[in-house]
Amino acid sequence: MTMVFGVPVQALLGQLLVGLINGSFYALLSLGLAIIFGLLRIINFAHGAQYMLGAFVAYLLLAYAGIGYWGALILAPLIVGLAGAAIERLALSRLYDLDPLYGLLFTFGLALAIEGSFRYVYGSAGQPYAVPQALTGARNLGFMVLPNYRGWVVVASLAVCIATWLAIEKTKFGAYLRAATENPTLVRAFGVNVPLLLTFTYGLGAALAGLAGVMAAPIYQVSPLMGSNIIIVVFAVVVVGGMGSILGAVVTGYMLGLCEGLTKVFYPEASNIVIFVIMAIVLLIRPAGLFGRTA
Amino acid sequence: MTEAPLAQPPSDFRHEPSSRGTQPIVQSLLKVRGLNAWYGESHALHGVDLDIAAGETVTLLGRNGVGKTTTLRAIMGILPKRTGSVRLNGREMIGTPLHKVAAAGLGFVPEERGIFASLTVEENLTLPPVVAKGGFTVEELYALFPNLKERRRSAGTQLSGGEQQMLAIARVLRTGVTLLLLDEPTEGLAPVIVDRIGEIILEMKRRGMTVLLVEQNFRFASRVADRFYVMDHGQIVDGFAAAELPGRMDRLKEALGV
């Protein structure tokens, strides 16, 4: 068996792939978080709950409406996004003039309330969600056997990240978003309805979290706590990438997923903390994050 | 928006000796009455009255800190804490949400220029939505500002200070607004660029645009303005036509501390 640094190549590649899959979720979630923070200057603690909601909406759509994975992939982000937009309009938009701490506290409380309600109804145990028919099975890549569904998650999340990045960098909507991130008052004075843009952006960030939740459902099961498990790591990703940096969030998401995978091979005991160690080091050397602009 | 078309001010009004600038015009495009504004708790404007007729270029003069920039920001509504009346074409702007002010015909070029670093020159130029017909097209603007065309793919803030000022003005010219609020466009720029900005303002006048200008550069202001207002302590204290300028130079220099 071929060895690299005393580790079988198979194990190495296998863990890298697991890292890539985790990284796909980190990237999707930190992308939404970065977009929201960039424009609204709110640290969205409800992001994990919105991810969980995406998974639960998929589960409920199947259980009560007979709508399967592919339908849920469209509908769940839409539903979570609309709920997000409603929350922004009704509550968050009233907090913009206050200390940013209020937005953080509000979203944190919201996350606790949503997660608590789902735990009350569904308990802490996960609900199973089947892999869609078309993506069952696995293929042999030579060095390892890759379940088709996990391959799909990597490809789909990469496609969504690239599409979102292009929408922000290359379209008129993206130009409004970038400009409003820099100077919302001036963009508003030019006649752009910035309050509406804020609502839409929060909805978009929530929808991305919901989409990640649907994609996660067949892998991690549907559980009320799935969001709070992953969101702490995602916050670390956003901090390492640089608060508000879209590209930073995506690249760092994949990168830290891979780092986590590598650590599982070489020093498994540290795999749970490696991301936070990296965060601490980055904060010491580059407080604005790897891709952040120092103000 | 259903106001009757504006009557032009009498063509010889500039030569009239009416010196109080508060009521020289019968009908105005912009009519400001008793405008008060606050920065937080600090009361910055104490009842500003001014009128601007369609097609005029009017300059606000005054020492630093007397409220010139604040007046522009309060008219635009960027300063939300304000009372009094700001009527554009007879339509009250106080109480109008900021994002609807541009559609009413007001354009704003801030003192700090407000060029977006994360947008290219061209994205900066085409960012403000067009609100009315009659604005400059992108081609016309590129003809007027060849530098901007050359550097249209660069990030907005990679331009020189002069180019950023041109971009800030060009950006608003595209939108077709009727009244432009221009805050210290020549600040910190080389004389050759200042001349260029003067030409652009004259070109805007030829196209019938109305301009309210805040300017410290006296020579520049006297070249482009039809009329002047002098501010002190958050109020308009004097107003006169350009033709009266030479006779007032000494008193003005004293009042402005130049």
Side-chain angles (χ1 to χ4, degrees):
Chain A
M1 193 182 277
T2 331
M3 307 282 275
V4 180
F5 301 122
V7 173
V9 169
Q10 249 109 344
L12 182 66
L13 292 175
Q15 284 303 336
L16 277 181
L17 206 71
V18 170
L20 193 61
I21 290 159
N22 285 338
S24 300
F25 289 109
Y26 298 161
L28 270 182
L29 287 169
S30 55
L31 174 66
L33 215 49
I35 294 174
I36 291 173
F37 179 77
L39 188 60
L40 282 72
R41 298 285 139 183
I42 276 182
I43 300 173
N44 183 31
F45 263 88
H47 215 65
Q50 282 153 347
Y51 163 79
M52 178 271 284
L53 271 181
F56 257 99
V57 170
Y59 168 77
L60 295 172
L61 281 173
L62 185 64
Y64 294 101
I67 295 170
Y69 179 82
W70 301 108
L73 208 55
I74 310 280
L75 282 176
L78 206 64
I79 292 168
V80 177
L82 285 175
I87 285 164
E88 195 279 343
R89 202 45 12 154
L90 293 174
L92 273 179
S93 58
R94 294 165 203 274
L95 304 174
Y96 293 145
D97 292 335
L98 304 173
D99 191 290
L101 206 56
Y102 285 90
L104 188 150
L105 285 174
F106 172 76
T107 56
F108 186 58
L110 186 68
L112 291 180
I114 295 174
E115 282 172 357
S117 320
F118 275 81
R119 221 161 109 191
Y120 180 74
V121 178
Y122 296 97
S124 301
Q127 316 285 334
Y129 189 90
V131 170
Q133 197 67 46
L135 294 174
T136 51
R139 64 190 65 216
N140 195 335
L141 299 180
F143 58 89
M144 67 169 294
V145 177
L146 172 70
N148 285 341
Y149 185 77
R150 293 181 184 227
W152 150 255
V153 164
V154 172
V155 173
S157 84
L158 198 62
V160 169
C161 287
I162 292 173
T164 308
W165 184 79
L166 283 177
I168 291 170
E169 289 301 321
K170 303 291 173 201
T171 66
K172 190 80 195 178
F173 162 75
Y176 287 147
L177 195 106
R178 276 174 286 142
T181 297
E182 281 186 51
N183 188 342
T185 308
L186 186 59
V187 173
R188 218 178 151 197
F190 285 153
V192 178
N193 191 340
V194 173
L196 191 65
L197 188 68
L198 295 177
T199 306
F200 182 82
T201 303
Y202 190 77
L204 176 69
L208 281 171
L211 179 70
V214 182
M215 297 206 323
I219 298 183
Y220 302 121
Q221 294 201 316
V222 180
S223 127
L225 295 177
M226 63 192 287
S228 45
N229 291 339
I230 196 170
I231 201 65
I232 302 300
V233 174
V234 173
F235 274 117
V237 169
V238 172
V239 170
V240 172
M243 294 298 286
S245 164
I246 308 293
L247 189 65
V250 172
V251 173
T252 313
Y254 286 107
M255 204 177 68
L256 291 187
L258 290 174
C259 282
E260 210 179 27
L262 276 180
T263 316
K264 274 190 189 129
V265 182
F266 291 104
Y267 193 61
E269 294 84 346
S271 65
N272 283 332
I273 60 157
V274 63
I275 286 180
F276 301 101
V277 172
I278 294 174
M279 178 179 88
I281 295 170
V282 167
L283 281 178
L284 283 175
I285 300 169
R286 272 186 71 100
L290 295 179
F291 293 78
R293 270 189 230 110
T294 29
Chain B
M1 298 304 275
T2 52
E3 293 287 317
L6 280 171
Q8 286 294 316
S11 59
D12 61 342
F13 109 88
R14 274 163 214 156
H15 307 293
E16 281 173 7
S18 71
S19 61
R20 293 299 298 181
T22 46
Q23 285 166 351
I25 311 161
V26 184
Q27 259 182 302
S28 17
L29 175 69
L30 180 75
K31 188 177 189 141
V32 176
R33 287 293 176 273
L35 183 60
N36 281 263
W38 290 262
Y39 283 109
E41 293 301 305
S42 150
H43 194 172
L45 295 185
H46 301 263
V48 169
D49 297 331
L50 56 84
D51 294 84
I52 301 175
E56 267 193 310
T57 297
V58 175
T59 299
L60 273 181
L61 300 169
R63 284 172 292 111
N64 275 327
V66 297
K68 304 186 299 295
T69 293
T70 308
T71 302
L72 294 196
R73 292 167 61 94
I75 290 173
M76 194 67 201
I78 282 178
L79 209 57
K81 211 171 165 191
R82 53 181 183 158
T83 62
S85 166
V86 174
R87 286 185 172 271
L88 184 70
N89 265 329
R91 182 175 159 194
E92 181 57 57
M93 304 310 291
I94 288 185
T96 304
L98 180 56
H99 59 268
K100 291 187 177 159
V101 170
L106 266 182
F108 182 59
V109 179
E111 188 176 6
E112 70 283 0
R113 292 163 196 149
I115 301 303
F116 298 103
S118 58
L119 272 63
T120 64
V121 169
E122 190 153 281
E123 281 177 325
N124 265 288
L125 183 64
T126 56
L127 185 81
V130 171
V131 297
K133 283 181 189 157
F136 291 62
T137 64
V138 173
E139 289 69 36
E140 283 175 314
L141 289 170
Y142 278 153
L144 213 53
F145 308 98
N147 285 15
L148 297 185
K149 183 175 191 181
E150 228 166 82
R151 308 205 53 190
R152 64 187 186 277
R153 307 249 173 268
S154 314
T157 43
Q158 279 172 6
L159 297 178
S160 70
E163 287 168 330
Q164 287 191 32
Q165 186 63 63
M166 308 267 185
L167 179 55
I169 296 174
R171 183 163 70 175
V172 181
L173 293 183
R174 209 186 117 259
T175 62
V177 292
T178 43
L179 172 59
L180 194 62
L181 307 175
L182 203 52
D183 197 355
E184 302 231 18
T186 68
E187 195 185 21
L189 299 181
V192 56
I193 311 280
V194 173
D195 286 346
R196 185 85 190 88
I197 289 174
E199 287 163 26
I200 290 154
I201 293 179
L202 293 175
E203 170 67 24
M204 281 152 56
K205 274 172 93 163
R206 270 193 291 278
R207 291 183 64 135
M209 284 183 75
T210 312
V211 181
L212 177 56
L213 182 73
V214 164
E215 190 52 72
Q216 302 272 9
N217 183 335
F218 210 75
R219 244 198 54 205
F220 172 82
S222 59
R223 255 185 59 205
V224 297
D226 302 313
R227 215 148 50 77
F228 295 90
Y229 282 112
V230 182
M231 282 194 82
D232 202 11
H233 294 106
Q235 282 175 320
I236 302 282
V237 294
D238 199 2
F240 53 89
E244 298 171 48
L245 186 64
R248 289 169 169 264
M249 271 318 249
D250 291 340
R251 241 176 69 203
L252 262 177
K253 277 185 175 160
E254 199 178 316
L256 302 178
V258 289

